[in-house]
Every structure is written in C-alpha cells, then in structure tokens.
Amino acid sequence: MTPETDRTPSPLAAPRVGVRGEATIETDPELARIAVTVRSRGTDRRHTLDDLTRRNTQALDLIKSYGDAVEKLETGAVAITPELRDKGRDRGEKIRAYHGVVRIGATLTDFTALGELTTRLADLDLTTVDGPWWSLRPQSPVYRDARQQAVRDAVQRGREYAEALGATLTALIELADEGVHQATPYPQQAFAMSARAAGGMADAAAPPALDLEPERQNVHAQVTAHFTMTPPVLA
C-alpha cells in the first residue's frame, strides 16, 4: 500500500515579496558633552605641577558645583612636558620651560546650565573649552520607536506590493535588522573658547552665559522583511 501523499502546499512554494522598511525620527538631544583643557607653564617643574594641580581642582570644583546637571565627569590625559632650549653651540640639553596640561570631559543633561558653565570655565586662566557635542542616551526610547516604525513601514510596503498584484500578505518569513544609527542634520561644529580668546573675559566680574541652542538629532532605522502572499492576479 502506497502511503498517502501530503497535498498541503509548502510555504516555500508560495509567492514571496521582499521589502525594506525605513524610519527617521528627528528629536531633541538628551546629552551635551564638553571638553575642558587646563594648562600651566613655568620654568620650575614642581611649580608648574603645583600650578596645574590648582587650576585642575578649580575647574573640577566649578563643574561639580552644578550638581545633578552634570551626569558624567572624567579626567583624561595628564602631561608635564619639558621645552628644550635651542642647542646652538652648547651641546648640552637645557630646559627652557615646563608645560602642563590636563584634559577633562563633562557630560550635562541641563542645557541651561551648560551655557553658564561653559563661559565660567572659559573665564579661568589658561583654560580652553571645546564643544558641545550633542547626543542621545544609548538606551534612549527614540531608538526603539525608530525600529518599530521601520517594521511598520516594511509591513505597509509589503501590503502595497501585494495589493498591486491583487494579492494579500499571508505570513512573515524573515525580518532582518539592518541597524539603527544616529546622525545630525548638519555637520557638528564644536567651538573652542578660552579666557584669552574671549578678549580679556577673565577680567570681567561675571561673564555672560552663552545662549546655546541644542542641535536636533536624527535617528534612522532600517529593516528588510520577506513575506509570503496569496497567488497574484496577473491577468
């Protein structure tokens, strides 16, 4: 006796449609990062180091005074570098001066405090401020929203292709995430500000706070999806 043949159509034999779903969300940034560079210079190594330590502490204390507005504070590179004199006829190496530098990174969530802090830091002696660099948190719900919108876009596109053929979608075969990335609508241009560059700002009693306008962020998500559909009507 021959076994009965299964006449159920295989899903692999059903017509398929493959589409790409995309979504872009424009939103306000959640974080702003600034880079602070503190310097010192002197002919005595110990004096230069002490001066650098004092200025670094002054900058850190100022940043910490903003409390919860500062989400992250970290110290990067620290260096004391000797500057050698030109040798000329004297073959011996003599030190002309010592240069000290400390780099500090600060991430803020309060953008009103950001403008004030930036000008106060730039008002300190031999201190330069770069930034801000705007961004979203890595766990921001905006990324999830973009992914979900991309999936809905893929389903909508698949339905439209199927409807154009007189068919309807029947099942999802595969959904592939092609990534989510954050981009700014315009190239970021960080500013650099220091007491010297500000034209003697250090002599002012209270430097005016910068009015910083947060740069809008674009989050883009993309997926590919493959569906099966009912037999198309090609007549």
Side-chain angles (χ1 to χ4, degrees):
M1 181 176 178
T2 304
E4 183 179 354
T5 303
D6 184 2
R7 298 181 180 277
T8 303
S10 170
L12 298 178
R16 299 185 183 187
V17 58
V19 296
R20 174 177 296 170
E22 298 177 298
T24 299
I25 298 179
E26 183 177 321
T27 185
D28 291 326
E30 298 169 345
L31 304 172
R33 184 180 182 278
I34 58 174
V36 183
T37 304
V38 180
R39 294 182 172 86
S40 66
R41 184 179 185 276
T43 57
D44 181 77
R45 182 182 182 90
R46 179 58 184 271
H47 175 76
T48 302
L49 180 58
D50 290 344
D51 193 35
L52 182 64
T53 300
R54 177 181 58 81
R55 290 175 180 173
N56 176 65
T57 300
Q58 188 178 15
L60 289 175
D61 289 345
L62 177 56
I63 297 172
K64 291 176 182 178
S65 70
Y66 282 79
D68 293 339
V70 180
E71 182 169 284
K72 188 177 182 181
L73 177 62
E74 55 190 356
T75 299
V78 179
I80 296 289
T81 306
E83 176 187 345
L84 300 180
R85 295 180 183 272
D86 295 334
K87 291 185 179 180
R89 295 181 180 179
D90 187 358
R91 296 183 179 181
E93 293 184 348
K94 294 185 178 181
I95 296 175
R96 181 189 189 94
Y98 292 93
H99 297 269
V101 62
V102 176
R103 291 184 173 86
I104 303 169
T107 302
L108 285 82
T109 56
D110 185 338
F111 301 154
T112 301
L114 174 66
E116 179 182 306
L117 174 59
T118 298
T119 51
R120 292 182 65 186
L121 284 168
D123 193 43
L124 301 177
D125 291 338
L126 294 179
T127 300
T128 303
V129 183
D130 294 280
W133 294 277
W134 310 95
S135 65
L136 298 173
R137 299 178 185 277
Q139 301 82 16
S140 174
V142 177
Y143 296 115
R144 178 196 61 205
D145 294 342
R147 286 190 289 265
Q148 292 180 346
Q149 287 187 26
V151 172
R152 288 193 288 268
D153 181 61
V155 174
Q156 180 61 30
R157 290 189 186 191
R159 285 173 176 166
E160 290 173 356
Y161 282 119
E163 289 172 0
L165 296 170
T168 59
L169 299 182
T170 56
L172 171 67
I173 300 176
E174 181 183 45
L175 178 66
D177 180 10
E178 296 192 10
V180 178
H181 68 270
Q182 176 185 343
T184 52
Y186 307 101
Q188 285 191 350
Q189 294 184 351
F191 69 84
M193 187 177 184
S194 65
R196 178 177 297 180
M201 183 183 293
D203 297 333
L210 283 172
D211 184 10
L212 301 177
E213 188 66 27
E215 189 173 35
R216 299 276 287 178
Q217 307 294 295
N218 281 341
V219 176
H220 182 76
Q222 184 172 294
V223 300
T224 56
H226 293 86
F227 303 93
T228 57
M229 62 182 180
T230 59
V233 179
L234 301 178

